[in-house]
Structure formats: structure tokens, C-alpha cells
Amino acid sequence: MTGDRVLTVRALLDRVRAEGRTALTAHEGKVLADAYGIAVPDEELATDVDEAVAAAARFAGPVVMKIVSPDILHKTEAGGVVVGVEGAADVRAAFCRITENARAYHSAARIEGVQVQELLPQGQEVIVDAVTDPTFGKVVAFGLGGVLGGVLKDVTFRLAPVTADEAMSMLDSIRPAEILRGVRGRAGVDRWAVAEQIRRVSQLVADFPEIAEVDLNPVIATPGGAMAADIRVILAESPTPSRRRYPRDAILSTMRRLMQPASVAVIGASNEQGKIGNSVMRNLVEGGFSGEIHPVNPKADDILGRKAYKSVTDVPGEVDVAVFAIPARFVAAALGEAGRKNIPNAVLIPSGSAETGEHELQARIVEIAERHGIRLLGPNIYGYYSTWQDLCATFCTPYDVKGGVALTSQSGGIGMAILGFARTTKTGVSAIVGLGNKSDLDEDDLLTWFGEDPHTECIAMHLEDLKDGRAFVEAARATVPKKPVVVLKAGRTAAGAKAAGSHTGALAGDDAVYDDILRQAGVIRAPGLNDMLEYARALPVLPTPRGGNVVIITGAGGSGVLLSDAVTDHGLSLMEIPPDLDEAFRRFIPPFGAAGNPVDITGGEPPSTYEATIRLGPEDPRIHALVLGYWHTIVTPPMVFAELTARVVAEFRERGVEKPVVASLAGDVEGEEACQYLFERGVVAYPYTTEKPVAALGAKYRWARAAGLL
């Protein structure tokens, strides 16, 4: 857009503001549309009947007439719209009727005239909106309009501004996408023209943040183009407050000292069992943290064999982290002392801040921290674990199994569920971090760190809200090409959103917006807590697939059917088995088995049949992933199946052939041990379910696509 047009839009918006208005008239909306190339019909503003007749005469065919008033936003509701007006007499009658209806609707409204607009041809109605989301800021929305759109209520969202490709992807992201391509002999619409309407609207709101909403409703899409029949523009009542952001280098520097500290102070440390300060101290000491541990308590000289200090300012040398285990009302004063000590990180365990309505207390703590350059983790958290540093800075049970999974939660209860799951499944973790109220440090800070952390291979996050959705998306886009990011977004329903608000002061936001934008960022969204944990456990185990051909080999026909359903449900594709590969499978399965896909070897086969058919997966370069369905028999017991499968996978990995293999084991309790054995050897396996192994495989595929690896 040229500079002159920018000046035109700026001057118009400034004039509207100066007049104390937040809504633009239809004529003013057209000025913005013309400046950004948003296709709208030709029109003229008529201030009296004669001007309306003359304007209508200049258009070929019938016209639409609409009231123009800065005080009437809903023109149809006011009786201010007449469609299909043709001929001088009808134009005069319509002009009078529209103005009379408007005065009856709002007697004090300022009426600037009547808009005379060319009538658009019939076509598919769609809607294009740009709105200001409390989490993500400017967001553009697209969906079908008209009766069908009202019934389906299927709308897709993207962060604004969108690229041409992102705009085009929105057309395919609604359930009735085929309607736009053409169905049952009906021609499709000009998809490029529709996408351009989306892109240009998104650019308009991105360039002018004071625009709160742009509504093109409806846009009439035809094989020859797409044109907005109406444009509504609303300005924000007041500027949106911006959240403080930190440069990437500053985030990494602070996070390094938080996650790899050389010195930790515990403010509120105690010798008394049952107190949080005692639990934190014991976990740090008994967990084997090799750095310095400094208890701070004005009433003690010695805590757990460590010299205690009256104030954190008395601690010698530098301190990387101060863990606060004191009541919330005392945090502000102690935080000021930490600031004078130049401590870069404060871990605020105590509850009693914004989540209980104490917003002023939390705001004061944040102000003190910002003044002293301290980053805050919490308040209202269980603490955090950094296993590779043998650091357990929490009042909860310790955990020290090192591995590649970083887990975060906004909730303490969920954090402990994470801990229990990790312990039960022997999942090695690089970190477990509580976020609580997220007064400062939040998911985008952690993503930035874990994205660079060599110990972390997969990141899984439970969250109830995002304080800065755009910062999170930016961090996710930088991280996803390197490692998977799994998110469990709580508060999907109205009841869940209300509960989230009372729990951590979370602003849960519109779940449909979250769903689309997390997908746009390449994040894997988990439907539930167990799904998040299983994805986090499985994704580092599975090799990255090189293609989309999935083959099912099963000893039970029923499992094969369910596995096939799961493959489709999770966006995967069953390979069309070519004749030579079909023949290869048939050499090993009994005559009453079934080749094709699934390959059913039947249940009574010996281990040799399982091994021979499974070997064909890694041997054939056309097969990219294997889904195994095992049925417990005495002929091939569960551990025999597990051992032969693990042996085949290991053999081919030694040759450099790595393909994802998942397994579903149906049978008695011995299958549980067999699944654990397989998991530990690189095969993602689950007993009693056909859904979980395929869900994990689907998650790996979603990440590989988002990372640009497929």
C-alpha cells in the first residue's frame, strides 16, 4: 500500500476518534476497503431523494439501499436496508422508508444519507472477520455465511496478518470446504479472490492496532471473484495494554541461571518438619544438588546442618535463585532484599495472591521485581525440578530419573500427576516446572529455554491460559523445527474456563481460537492429561517417519479393524499394498489369513510368522511406519512377541534403518510387562488399547509435518 493511502486511513481514523465515535459508517468503511484493495461494490452516498435516483440510474440493474448513520450500527435491525430496488419510483419510496425507519429506531441519530450500492450476483456467502482476541491480539476468522454457516457454526482462525498461503489454508480448514471447490455440478468459487479478502483484512488490522474489529458479512463468492456486500469497522474503546517482553538473549541468560544454578537461597527455610521451608531444604540437600544451598531464617542459626542467615542480603557471594517459602504477605519485603542482593530469579511458592483475589498484592510484587530486574516464577506453585542438576526445589516428593522430557504445569495437582506418571512409567525427565499464576515467567520463556537445552528432546505443557499468546506462538515456531511441543489446554468448556479463572486467575479465552492458532504454530494439542503425558513419553522414542505409508500387521482381525479406524482418526494413511509386497506377505501367513492392509496373520501363528512378517516393514523402503496388533496366545506368549519385535527393530537400527513402530497388545496381564519391555527398546506399545499406540504415532506425524520433515 502506498504512503498516500496510509495517510488517508490514518486521517480517517483520527477524525472518527476526534468525533468521539468508535464505529465507522459504511461509506467510511469503503474508504478503508479501497485503500487496502478489499473488494466491495461500487456505491454512492445520496443525501436526498433526487441524488438517490441519480445514483441508482448509474448502476445497471437493481441496487441495494442502506442507511448511513454513525449512530446506527445494526442497519438491518433498524429497518435501514432494502435489497433489489429498481426504477426511480421504487428508489424514492425506498429512500423515504429507510430514513423514516431509522428515525423511528433512533430518534436522535445523525443521518448522513442513504448508501446506494450495486446489487451483487448470487453466490456462496462466506464471512471474513478480524477481531481482537484477549490472548492472541489481532486474529482473522473465516467461515461459511448464510443459512448453512448459521447451522454449522464452523469458523477457523489465524493470527493476523496472514500470508497468502495461510489465507488459502483457511478455506480448507472448515468442515464444508468442498462446497467452495464445487459439488454436485455446482461450480466452485474463486478461491484466490476469497483468500485475498482474508489476507487484506488481516493486514489492515495489523497495520492499525486501534481497529478492534472488521466484519465483512457477507462476502459473496462466485467463480469470477469475491466481494464483500457490507463492511463494518469498529475501533477499540482504549489502547490494549502491552505486556513487558524480554529479548531472547536475556531470557536465555536468566533461564540458564534458574535451571542450572550454582547457588540457591531458601527464604523461609525451617528445621520444623511439616513446613514448606523444611521440605524444600530437605529436597535440595538430600537430592544431591552440588551447588551452594543457603537457608534464610531470622530465627535460626543452623538449618539441616547449613549455616542460616538472618536476611538474604547476608548470604556471601552471588545467588542465582531465591526460593520463597514464606506467607504471601511477607514476599514483597523479602523480594526487595533479594533485589538489593542482585538475585536474578525468585521462585514464589506461596499461594494467596491473584488466585484468591489479591491482585494488588501480586501487582506490587511484580513491580518490585521489575524495578530490581528479578524474573519471577509463580506465585502459587509447587516449585521446580531440574534433574540434570540434581535440583529438587519443591515441597513435593523428589524425582531424579534423568531423561529428555520437559514437563510444565500451571497447576500443582497436575504437576504431581505428572510426577506420578513419570515414576510409574520410568519416564526420564529433564525438568518439571510449576507456573501457577504466571506473574512473570511463563510458557514462552520456558519454550525458549527448552528449545535450546541439549538435555530436552520433547516439551509438554499443561496450561489454563496464555498471558501473551503471540509470544508463545513465536517461541513455539522457533522450537517446533527442533523438537516436539505438546500442549494440554484446560478450560475448553465454559465451565472449565470459569474454574480456570478461580484457580489461577486465568483468562481461558475462546477454545476455537486456541485450537486453530496452536495448530498454526505447529504445536501438538493433547485432548486430555493422560494423552499429553503419553505423547511426551512416546515422541522421543519414535524415529521420525520419512513418508506417509503405514502398514498394520495383526494377529487378530478385530484389532486390525479398530487399528484401521484409529489410523484414519489420527490423520494417517494406510498404504496401498503393491502386488509384489502382497505376495511377500502371503509367503509367511496361512491360507486362511489375509494380506492387504491390515495384514492378518491370524492368532495361532508361531513366533517365526510374527518375525518374518514384521521384518518386511523395515526391509521395504516403501513402508514408512508399522502398527502391530498382537493377540495373546500360548503359541506366541507376550514376552516372546516383545523380544522378537525388539530384536528385529534393533537389528535394522544398527544398519541405519529407523522407522516408527507401535504396538497394541491384547491379552492377559503379561502384556503389561511386554509393553514396558518394548517401550524401553524403542517400540511404543500399550496393552488393552488399539487407540493409544496409533494416537502416539499420529502425534509424531503431526510434529514431523509441522517441522517440515515430511
Side-chain angles (χ1 to χ4, degrees):
M1 190 177 67
T2 65
D4 289 344
R5 290 181 177 178
V6 171
L7 294 175
T8 298
V9 174
R10 171 53 56 211
L12 172 59
L13 298 183
D14 288 347
R15 189 180 76 244
V16 171
R17 281 280 193 216
E19 293 176 5
R21 293 190 283 128
T22 56
L24 275 64
T25 65
H27 178 70
E28 290 167 338
K30 188 175 189 312
V31 173
L32 268 63
D34 289 344
Y36 272 76
I38 299 166
V40 294
D42 288 336
E43 64 172 47
E44 291 190 30
L45 177 65
T47 58
D48 58 37
V49 170
D50 291 335
E51 286 184 359
V53 171
R58 282 190 279 273
F59 295 112
V63 297
V64 180
M65 298 177 66
K66 305 175 184 178
I67 194 70
V68 178
S69 169
D71 303 313
I72 298 177
L73 295 182
H74 304 288
K75 298 183 285 293
T76 302
E77 183 181 297
V81 179
V82 180
V83 179
V85 183
E86 192 167 14
D90 284 350
V91 171
R92 290 178 184 277
F95 187 97
C96 294
R97 185 162 76 254
I98 286 171
T99 52
E100 288 171 3
N101 288 345
R103 290 193 179 95
Y105 178 79
H106 190 335
S107 59
R110 176 160 58 102
I111 297 174
E112 296 181 354
V114 172
Q115 181 186 45
V116 181
Q117 185 183 79
E118 66 173 324
L119 182 65
L120 295 178
Q122 288 190 339
Q124 175 61 54
E125 291 188 15
V126 299
I127 58 171
V128 176
D129 283 350
V131 297
T132 305
D133 182 81
T135 298
F136 296 102
K138 302 304 179 188
V139 170
V140 64
F142 170 76
L144 290 189
V147 175
L148 188 58
V151 171
L152 295 176
K153 294 182 174 62
D154 186 14
V155 179
T156 188
F157 302 88
R158 299 290 188 278
L159 286 180
V162 296
T163 65
D165 287 343
E166 287 172 334
M168 191 67 78
S169 76
M170 296 180 75
L171 276 61
D172 295 321
S173 296
I174 57 173
R175 291 193 300 274
E178 286 302 309
I179 290 175
L180 303 177
R181 296 184 181 275
V183 292
R184 296 186 178 180
R186 180 178 174 180
V189 305
D190 185 338
R191 290 166 52 84
W192 180 87
V194 175
E196 274 298 282
Q197 293 285 72
I198 297 170
R199 186 186 68 80
R200 292 169 187 266
V201 165
S202 78
Q203 192 63 56
L204 170 63
V205 296
D207 288 347
F208 294 93
E210 65 265 47
I211 297 177
E213 181 180 350
V214 175
D215 183 16
L216 305 186
N217 189 10
V219 174
I220 307 300
T222 67
M227 191 169 289
D230 194 23
I231 178 170
R232 185 169 70 99
V233 181
I234 305 293
L235 303 185
E237 295 281 352
S238 58
T240 303
S242 59
R243 175 179 175 268
R244 182 171 181 176
R245 288 195 179 183
Y246 295 85
R248 179 179 175 82
D249 288 347
I251 293 172
L252 289 173
S253 176
T254 303
M255 290 298 303
R256 184 172 292 107
R257 294 185 70 178
L258 176 69
M259 303 306 295
Q260 300 175 350
S263 175
V264 176
V266 181
I267 299 175
S270 172
N271 279 315
E272 185 179 343
Q273 289 196 17
K275 286 188 173 291
I276 289 176
N278 177 262
S279 299
V280 173
M281 277 295 298
R282 287 178 59 194
N283 276 338
L284 285 169
V285 172
E286 295 173 7
F289 176 59
S290 60
E292 296 177 353
I293 304 170
H294 302 291
V296 176
N297 187 324
K299 298 178 181 179
D301 297 321
D302 177 281
I303 295 176
L304 299 185
R306 308 285 173 124
K307 175 179 171 55
Y309 297 90
K310 306 299 182 187
S311 165
V312 74
T313 57
D314 298 330
V315 175
E318 290 189 342
V319 175
D320 296 303
V321 181
V323 180
F324 284 66
I326 56 177
R329 64 185 182 277
F330 300 130
V331 167
L335 190 63
E337 294 180 352
R340 291 190 288 277
K341 179 66 178 171
N342 295 317
I343 299 174
N345 295 288
V347 178
L348 307 183
I349 288 177
S351 56
S353 297
E355 83 284 358
T356 60
E358 295 289 345
H359 297 283
E360 289 186 9
L361 173 60
Q362 185 164 306
R364 186 162 76 252
I365 290 169
V366 170
E367 185 277 325
I368 293 169
E370 288 187 349
R371 184 168 7 113
H372 290 286
I374 302 174
R375 300 302 306 272
L376 301 177
L377 183 63
N380 186 27
I381 63 171
Y382 50 85
Y384 75 112
Y385 304 76
S386 185
T387 58
W388 289 94
Q389 308 303 311
D390 297 315
L391 176 70
C392 182
T394 172
F395 63 93
C396 301
T397 56
Y399 191 70
D400 60 0
V401 181
K402 300 175 178 64
V405 181
L407 298 151
T408 77
S409 70
Q410 200 165 343
S411 158
I414 300 302
M416 292 308 96
I418 287 171
L419 196 67
F421 175 88
R423 197 182 306 282
T424 298
T425 58
K426 301 182 178 68
T427 299
V429 303
S430 60
I432 302 174
V433 183
L435 283 164
N437 296 4
K438 297 190 294 193
S439 65
D440 178 16
L441 284 166
D442 62 8
E443 287 84 4
D444 48 89
D445 295 292
L446 295 181
L447 265 185
T448 300
W449 166 253
F450 290 132
E452 300 298 327
D453 177 27
H455 295 302
T456 299
E457 301 172 54
C458 177
I459 305 142
M461 297 180 152
H462 157 267
L463 58 93
E464 293 173 2
D465 72 335
L466 289 171
K467 300 299 184 186
D468 186 341
R470 285 184 173 259
F472 178 84
V473 169
E474 182 180 322
R477 284 174 168 167
T479 303
V480 165
K482 295 178 284 189
K483 54 193 76 172
V485 178
V486 181
V487 165
L488 170 61
K489 168 63 176 69
R492 291 184 295 105
T493 64
K498 183 178 179 181
S502 64
H503 174 221
T504 56
L507 188 64
D510 189 313
D511 192 66
V513 177
Y514 266 94
D515 201 47
D516 280 348
I517 292 179
L518 290 178
R519 187 181 301 112
Q520 184 185 1
V523 165
I524 300 163
R525 185 170 182 185
L529 176 58
N530 186 256
D531 304 280
M532 180 192 82
L533 296 171
E534 291 292 3
Y535 291 171
R537 176 189 176 207
L539 291 175
V541 172
L542 290 172
T544 302
R546 305 296 175 87
N549 288 335
V550 177
V551 170
I552 299 172
I553 301 173
T554 180
S559 293
V561 174
L562 292 175
L563 290 168
S564 298
D565 287 340
V567 163
T568 300
D569 289 343
H570 290 281
L572 304 175
S573 301
L574 284 176
M575 178 184 181
E576 290 286 339
I577 303 294
D580 64 311
L581 183 56
D582 182 76
E583 183 181 344
F585 276 116
R586 288 184 183 279
R587 283 200 296 268
F588 301 110
I589 63 177
F592 47 87
N597 198 2
V599 178
D600 183 3
I601 68 172
T602 75
E605 289 302 295
S608 58
T609 305
Y610 274 102
E611 180 166 348
T613 51
I614 291 170
R615 277 185 177 277
L616 291 175
E619 281 178 352
D620 195 312
R622 295 168 295 183
I623 298 175
H624 301 123
L626 278 182
V627 177
L628 307 180
Y630 165 79
W631 177 33
H632 186 164
T633 67
I634 297 176
V635 178
T636 304
M639 279 306 298
V640 172
F641 167 80
E643 289 166 356
L644 72 85
T645 301
R647 185 173 65 251
V648 171
V649 169
E651 177 187 322
F652 278 91
R653 284 184 180 171
E654 287 177 4
R655 298 187 206 170
V657 179
E658 293 193 277
K659 298 180 183 181
V661 179
V662 301
S664 164
L665 278 68
D668 214 327
V669 293
E670 294 97 320
E672 297 176 21
E673 180 187 358
C675 286
Q676 184 64 38
Y677 181 91
L678 284 166
F679 230 115
E680 291 169 355
R681 289 158 179 79
V683 177
V684 170
Y686 295 95
Y688 322 127
T689 172
T690 53
E691 179 67 24
K692 279 188 176 182
V694 181
L697 182 62
K700 189 72 176 191
Y701 265 90
R702 292 206 300 280
W703 169 71
R705 292 188 190 104
L709 301 175
L710 276 178

Coordinates of all heavy atoms in Angstrom, one line a residue, residues 424 565 615 622 653:
T424 N 5.8 -44.0 37.5 CA 5.2 -45.3 37.2 C 5.8 -45.8 35.9 O 6.0 -47.0 35.7 CB 3.7 -45.2 37.1 OG1 3.2 -44.8 38.4 CG2 3.0 -46.5 36.7
D565 N -9.4 -48.0 12.0 CA -10.2 -46.8 12.4 C -9.3 -45.8 13.0 O -9.4 -44.6 12.7 CB -11.3 -47.2 13.3 CG -12.4 -48.0 12.7 OD1 -12.5 -47.9 11.4 OD2 -13.2 -48.6 13.4
R615 N 9.6 -58.3 9.8 CA 10.8 -57.9 9.1 C 10.6 -57.2 7.8 O 11.4 -56.4 7.3 CB 11.7 -59.2 8.8 CG 12.5 -59.6 10.0 CD 13.4 -60.8 9.7 NE 14.2 -61.2 10.8 CZ 15.4 -60.5 11.1 NH1 15.8 -59.6 10.3 NH2 16.0 -60.9 12.2
R622 N 9.4 -48.8 0.8 CA 8.1 -48.1 0.6 C 7.2 -48.1 1.8 O 6.2 -47.3 1.9 CB 7.3 -48.9 -0.5 CG 8.0 -48.9 -1.9 CD 7.4 -49.9 -2.8 NE 7.6 -51.3 -2.4 CZ 7.3 -52.3 -3.1 NH1 6.6 -52.2 -4.3 NH2 7.5 -53.6 -2.6
R653 N 18.0 -51.0 13.1 CA 18.6 -49.7 13.5 C 20.1 -49.7 13.5 O 20.7 -48.7 13.1 CB 18.1 -49.3 14.9 CG 16.6 -48.9 14.9 CD 16.1 -48.4 16.3 NE 14.7 -48.0 16.2 CZ 14.0 -47.7 17.2 NH1 14.5 -47.8 18.4 NH2 12.7 -47.3 17.0

